Each structure stands twice: as C-alpha cells, then as structure tokens.
Amino acid sequence: MQNSQLSPDVLPQHIAIIMDGNGRWAKAQGKPRVFGHKNGVAAVRKTISTAAKLGIKAVTLFAFSSENWRRPEEEVGVLMELFITVLSTEIKKLHKNNLRLRVIGDTSRFNDRLRKKITQAEALTAENTGMMINIAANYGGKWDITQATQALAEKVAQGELQVNDINETLITQHLTMADLPEVDLMIRTSGECRISNFMLWQMAYAELYFMPIYWPEFDENSLIEAVTWFVNRERRFGCTGEQIKALMESE
C-alpha cells in the first residue's frame, strides 16, 4: 500500500498557464468570441480550486498579453470589463480561502477604474499565506526583462551598482515574481505549441505541456492530467491520476 502513496514534494511548485482558445471555442459553437471569454472564467475557478487542493505554491495565469491590444477595440473593451467584474465577484472568495492575488504586467494602460480594483484586490489578500495567484495582464516576457534591465541601469547611473556586479541572480531579483520559485510546469491549451512571449526568464527550465482542448473545456481532470504527466517526466515514477487525486483529498 505504501508504494501507491505519492509525496507532495514531487508536484510542481509553480504552474504557469496560457489560457488559449476562448474565441475558437465560441466560434465552433456559432457564438461571438466574447461568449468564450465569459465561459473561460469557469475554467479559471476550477483551476484555482484544484491547484489549491493540491497544495501548489503558485499559479500564474496568462490573461492578457501585451500583444492582445491588437485585437478589435470592442473585444479588448469587453475583456477589460470582464476583468473588473471577475475581480469584484471572486476576490472575497479567494480571500476567504486564504489565497493571495497579484496582477503582474504593465498596468499603466488600464483605465483608473480597473487599476483601482486591482489595488483593492491585491491589498485585501496581501497578508494571506496560501497559494499565490498571479494574473498576467498586459504582460510580456520581453517587457519583464526590459523593466528589470532599466531598474539595474538606473542603479548603475546612480552609483549604487557597478556594471560588473550584474549577474543572473541580480536580474532575477528585479523581475516580477522574484519572490516565487521559477516555473516548473507550463500548460497551454488549444493545441498551439509556442510560449508567446510569456515568462521567458522564469520558464527557462519548465516542462512544457500542450493540450488540444480549448480553455473553456479545461477542468479539474485536465489539470490532474498535466500534473501527472509532469511527475512522470520529472521523476519517472509511473504515477497515475488516481494518486494525484488521492493527494488532493489528503491536503
């Protein structure tokens, strides 16, 4: 019986997810793209709930990339409104469950109302000790590295730092999410097999798992499938989904 038990140590500490395929899922049903975005929120809820039950330390969700501004203005507007609504309705539930929320990315392009909601949501959950949920919004991996580089260049200009002092550790400390472990597992839905300028630095050694399903179809079993694959890739234990589910129930 002992052999069938899995240690929580074999699980990924930090999972990153590119939530792709909302628009195509909606189109396949003869609905507007916005319908897909709204249904994608349910998949976010399931993902957060499952990851928290598994005892994952951090989950980073790619909600809105810096490239998404190129989408039709109406769709971008709806995405922003949806973001505000979700922040308003979900944050109390996250807080009640001791989860922390943080929005990473260049929020300067968002309107005042959305920025205020983000500040309130982050402040409410800041002292919680449970899983960290990072929402990447107007985020790009190149932007992240660029802003870290600018911060270091500023310190050199001020005489606080010598050029020769700059190393990988220092760059890491100036990136977003410097307080978290690097990404162990990256999941992308919709069958696309690229990382789309997501966390380029933080995913340097991540296992990459591409799923054919669209994001609104993603559920508890989808995350368990990805985590099971990760454990077998990393540790080669021949782990099963049932063992992962048993871990969830023991947490």
Side-chain angles (χ1 to χ4, degrees):
M1 185 68 193
Q2 193 63 33
N3 292 341
S4 66
Q5 289 181 348
L6 209 59
S7 161
D9 298 343
V10 302
L11 299 182
Q13 289 190 68
H14 188 172
I15 299 175
I17 304 179
I18 300 177
M19 308 181 290
D20 197 15
N22 286 339
R24 278 166 288 167
W25 178 83
K27 191 178 175 185
Q29 318 223 8
K31 305 272 190 184
R33 290 176 62 85
V34 172
F35 179 75
H37 295 311
K38 287 179 177 168
N39 277 272
V41 175
V44 171
R45 279 195 203 105
K46 289 171 193 166
T47 301
I48 290 171
S49 167
T50 307
K53 283 182 199 164
L54 277 170
I56 304 298
K57 187 170 183 179
V59 170
T60 302
L61 303 171
F62 207 4
F64 191 87
S65 78
S66 41
E67 285 81 21
N68 284 157
W69 293 104
R70 297 177 197 153
R71 293 186 178 192
E73 197 177 329
E74 185 188 358
E75 186 180 349
V76 170
V78 168
L79 276 168
M80 294 299 118
E81 282 304 312
L82 185 60
F83 202 8
I84 290 174
T85 306
V86 170
L87 276 175
S88 305
T89 56
E90 302 293 315
I91 195 61
K92 285 179 184 163
K93 195 186 297 176
L94 297 180
H95 183 46
K96 197 174 125 193
N97 286 296
N98 193 33
L99 304 176
R100 288 177 290 164
L101 181 88
R102 180 166 60 188
V103 175
I104 58 163
D106 180 6
T107 57
S108 62
R109 279 188 73 173
F110 296 159
N111 63 39
D112 290 345
R113 195 157 60 99
L114 179 49
R115 287 214 299 268
K116 190 177 173 188
K117 282 282 178 202
I118 290 170
T119 303
Q120 287 170 343
E122 289 181 332
L124 179 66
T125 63
E127 300 301 315
N128 293 343
T129 56
M131 185 174 77
M132 172 67 85
I133 303 156
N134 299 300
I135 307 290
N138 195 23
Y139 176 88
K142 290 181 179 179
W143 164 85
D144 201 355
I145 295 167
T146 302
Q147 63 85 34
T149 307
Q150 287 171 338
L152 289 167
E154 183 66 33
K155 287 185 177 179
V156 171
Q158 300 292 338
E160 296 171 35
L161 200 62
Q162 295 296 311
V163 171
N164 292 340
D165 294 334
I166 298 173
N167 55 26
E168 287 186 16
T169 304
L170 213 50
I171 293 170
T172 301
Q173 287 167 2
H174 287 77
L175 292 166
T176 58
M177 299 173 291
D179 55 328
L180 294 173
E182 291 199 339
V183 177
D184 299 306
L185 170 64
M186 192 284 291
I187 302 166
R188 181 172 187 151
T189 54
S190 89
E192 299 291 349
C193 296
R194 57 180 180 273
I195 57 175
S196 296
N197 191 21
F198 198 12
M199 298 186 288
L200 301 176
W201 186 281
Q202 297 91 334
M203 296 202 311
Y205 297 102
E207 297 285 346
L208 309 179
Y209 191 62
F210 301 102
M211 305 185 84
I213 60 171
Y214 294 134
W215 178 248
E217 301 166 315
F218 194 90
D219 61 12
E220 180 178 291
N221 287 328
S222 311
L223 187 62
I224 287 167
E225 176 192 320
V227 169
T228 304
W229 174 87
F230 170 83
V231 172
N232 288 329
R233 287 276 307 163
E234 281 289 287
R235 320 287 169 169
R236 297 178 174 76
F237 282 155
C239 140
T240 65
E242 282 66 37
Q243 288 174 298
I244 302 289
K245 283 183 179 174
L247 261 186
M248 282 172 63
E249 283 151 19
S250 68
E251 283 296 315

